[in-house]
Amino acid sequence: MYLAGYKLAQQVGDLLRHQGLTLGLVESATGGLISHLITNIPGSSDYYKGSVTAYSNEVKIKVVGVKADTINDYGAVSSQVAEEMAQGGRRILASDICLADTGIAGPSGATPGKPLGLFYIGLSHQAGTYSQKHDFQGNREQNKRDAAEAALSWLKEYLISLK
């Protein structure tokens, strides 16, 4: 496990525990990496509810609740889908906050306007649902790590803003 991801997961865990909030995850392109980082922290069961690895569009729609029209209109790798994944995950996992990701890790999968390394991260909380766009430049594994770190970093900033 790499140190930056571990430290971020530890900091996020401390903030969640301190604020009495629970976390759920819906991962696509990161394939469970964020969940892996979160659950490597001793005591994460205090705040971590669970995750759905929604790799296929079918799972995004049938399990998580993303609208088929959203995927058809914007593509699976879009801010709209990331936000619907986060909202659906918060609902089905009964968590206070849900993070979600969708992206093109590489080395294939790029389309016109959607290059390799493009990721969208969604965050849903009772205060609202948001998304961030990221363009990573690494290989498949590095893009997944960068996306996981970006998601945890954003969650850390978000939790600090709630204080």
Side-chain angles (χ1 to χ4, degrees):
M1 180 175 45
Y2 58 104
L3 193 57
Y6 181 80
K7 282 187 173 183
L8 277 169
Q10 200 165 35
Q11 292 166 339
V12 162
D14 290 345
L15 288 163
L16 287 164
R17 186 180 285 112
H18 179 73
Q19 295 181 25
L21 297 172
T22 58
L23 175 66
L25 295 166
V26 178
E27 297 188 66
S28 184
T30 54
L33 181 57
I34 304 169
S35 301
H36 174 72
L37 292 168
I38 291 290
T39 59
N40 271 335
I41 305 303
S44 57
S45 59
D46 292 347
Y47 49 82
Y48 180 62
K49 293 294 239 15
S51 68
V52 175
T53 303
Y55 210 66
S56 72
N57 288 345
E58 181 182 15
V59 172
K60 287 177 181 76
I61 294 164
K62 290 184 177 178
V63 176
V64 181
V66 173
K67 296 181 194 93
D69 285 348
T70 304
I71 291 175
N72 292 334
D73 291 348
Y74 302 102
V77 180
S78 63
S79 60
Q80 294 85 352
V81 168
E83 289 181 12
E84 287 188 21
M85 288 170 66
Q87 287 174 319
R90 190 162 72 91
R91 186 185 72 253
I92 65 173
L93 297 168
S95 62
D96 296 312
I97 296 176
C98 185
L99 276 178
D101 76 80
T102 182
I104 305 167
S108 61
T111 60
K114 294 191 179 183
L116 295 180
L118 174 65
F119 276 75
Y120 289 92
I121 299 168
L123 186 154
S124 185
H125 177 245
Q126 67 180 6
T129 299
Y130 317 96
S131 61
Q132 284 186 345
K133 178 182 177 182
H134 294 271
D135 290 298
F136 302 117
Q137 303 300 314
N139 62 25
R140 181 178 183 84
E141 184 177 347
Q142 190 60 51
N143 288 340
K144 289 170 66 172
R145 284 183 173 196
D146 288 348
E149 269 188 38
L152 289 173
S153 181
W154 184 26
L155 177 57
K156 176 185 163 185
E157 292 169 21
Y158 183 80
L159 291 167
I160 290 169
S161 78
L162 295 178
K163 287 186 173 182

